[in-house]
Amino acid sequence: MQKSECHGGVQLRNRKAANGDQRTSSSVHRTTVQQSSSSSSTSSPETARKLHPRPSDKLNPKTINPFGEQSRAPSAFAAIYSKGGIPCRLVHGSVKHRLQWECPPENLPFDPLLITLAEGLRETRHPYTFVSKEGFRELLLVPGASEKAVPLLPRLIPVLKAALVHLDDEVFARGLNALVQLSVVVGPSLNDHLKHLLTSLSKRLRDKKFKEPITSALQQLEQHGGNGSLIIIKSKIPTYCSICC
């Protein structure tokens, strides 16, 4: 009788040990699967691109994903561009991008194209950022641009001001470059509208990274606007030093 009880106790202990081994094996298996899953997620192509961006990522910034969070209505410029209202398209190059115009830019009416391109300076997504910036610049380079642009100044200035007060640094930089490009073309005609823009430039001067480009822009405004522009600049930015000093 004692032998039978002992034999039963040994069997019970063996079953408990077997169950313990199974639980330990199952726990180890789960841990291995979790580690494998974690390892595969960190080695995914998307994670690798984030940790080690490619040089081409700078040339081809993130574009609009039609399946992403784009439920909000597109901007006015984006809507016009998608409908073919901007007579040029972006051509991707291996080194740099360029615009391809549907017809020579000198044959295009500035009204409302130049204003529309200026409105696009506030865009923050590719390709709208490049199209608006480069389109504005190239349109002002055509023969007779001055005669076409001067009548549009009362409508252009508020649009440029909107870019200059934008919180995005890149938008502000595009607006500043566009202002200088416009001053080269229209010259002293810009002086009557200059005071509406200088307040924004004065505020950004406090930012060290914009001090040099803004100073350079003011000097070009003075150069192309003459003595009249210097008086206006000094009235809004007393610390400005004239290029004639």
Side-chain angles (χ1 to χ4, degrees), residues 163-164 166 168-176 201 204 210 214:
L164 292 174
H166 203 284
D168 189 289
D169 288 348
E170 293 184 1
V171 173
F172 171 79
R174 286 194 293 271
L176 185 64
L201 301 187
R204 290 276 186 162
F210 285 118
I214 290 177

Side-chain angles (χ1 to χ4, degrees), residues 17 21 23 32 50 80 113-114 117 129 132 148 153 176 178 192 232 242:
D21 291 342
R23 286 194 295 270
T32 303
K50 289 180 180 179
I80 294 173
L113 181 56
L114 188 64
L117 290 169
T129 51
S132 59
K148 298 177 181 179
L153 286 177
L176 185 64
D192 293 337
I232 299 170
S242 170

Side-chain angles (χ1 to χ4, degrees), residues 7-240:
H7 180 68
V10 170
Q11 288 182 332
L12 180 60
R13 286 195 297 272
N14 288 341
R15 282 198 297 271
K16 289 183 178 179
N19 290 339
D21 291 342
Q22 290 176 354
R23 286 194 295 270
T24 302
S25 175
S26 175
S27 176
V28 171
H29 177 71
R30 285 197 300 270
T31 303
T32 303
V33 171
Q34 290 173 353
Q35 291 176 345
S36 176
S37 174
S38 175
S39 175
S40 63
S41 65
T42 55
S43 61
S44 65
E46 182 64 27
T47 304
R49 280 196 295 271
K50 289 180 180 179
L51 295 176
H52 305 286
R54 297 168 298 184
S56 60
D57 291 340
K58 294 182 178 181
L59 182 62
N60 299 298
K62 186 176 180 180
T63 55
I64 300 166
N65 177 11
F67 304 105
E69 43 185 51
Q70 299 296 331
S71 56
R72 64 183 185 276
S75 64
F77 182 84
I80 294 173
Y81 182 79
S82 63
K83 293 178 181 178
I86 310 295
C88 62
R89 282 294 177 268
L90 173 64
V91 177
H92 291 272
S94 58
V95 178
K96 60 183 296 186
H97 302 325
R98 65 180 180 86
L99 289 183
Q100 180 176 335
W101 295 87
E102 296 175 2
C103 64
E106 54 267 25
N107 297 338
L108 295 171
F110 273 36
D111 189 4
L113 181 56
L114 188 64
I115 297 173
T116 302
L117 290 169
E119 290 173 343
L121 296 172
R122 299 198 303 275
E123 293 289 339
T124 56
R125 295 176 295 172
H126 187 77
Y128 309 134
T129 51
F130 182 85
V131 172
S132 59
K133 175 187 68 175
E134 188 64 16
F136 188 88
R137 185 188 72 85
E138 291 187 14
L139 204 58
L140 288 177
L141 292 177
V142 304
S146 177
E147 292 77 8
K148 298 177 181 179
V150 169
L152 300 178
L153 286 177
R155 295 157 60 194
L156 269 175
I157 297 307
V159 177
L160 289 179
K161 182 178 179 180
L164 292 174
V165 300
H166 203 284
L167 296 178
D168 189 289
D169 288 348
E170 293 184 1
V171 173
F172 171 79
R174 286 194 293 271
L176 185 64
N177 289 333
L179 175 60
V180 171
Q181 292 160 8
L182 185 64
S183 72
V184 174
V185 174
V186 301
S189 298
L190 186 62
N191 291 347
D192 293 337
H193 311 275
L194 200 53
K195 61 182 180 181
H196 301 295
L197 305 172
L198 291 175
T199 301
S200 304
L201 301 187
S202 176
K203 291 180 179 179
R204 290 276 186 162
L205 269 173
R206 302 167 190 167
D207 191 333
K208 291 183 179 179
K209 66 175 172 287
F210 285 118
K211 185 173 183 179
E212 184 175 340
I214 290 177
T215 301
S216 175
L218 292 173
Q219 291 173 344
Q220 294 184 68
L221 291 174
E222 179 190 353
Q223 177 183 350
H224 301 293
N227 292 332
S229 64
L230 175 60
I231 296 173
I232 299 170
I233 294 173
K234 292 288 286 185
S235 67
K236 293 292 184 180
I237 307 177
T239 57
Y240 171 71

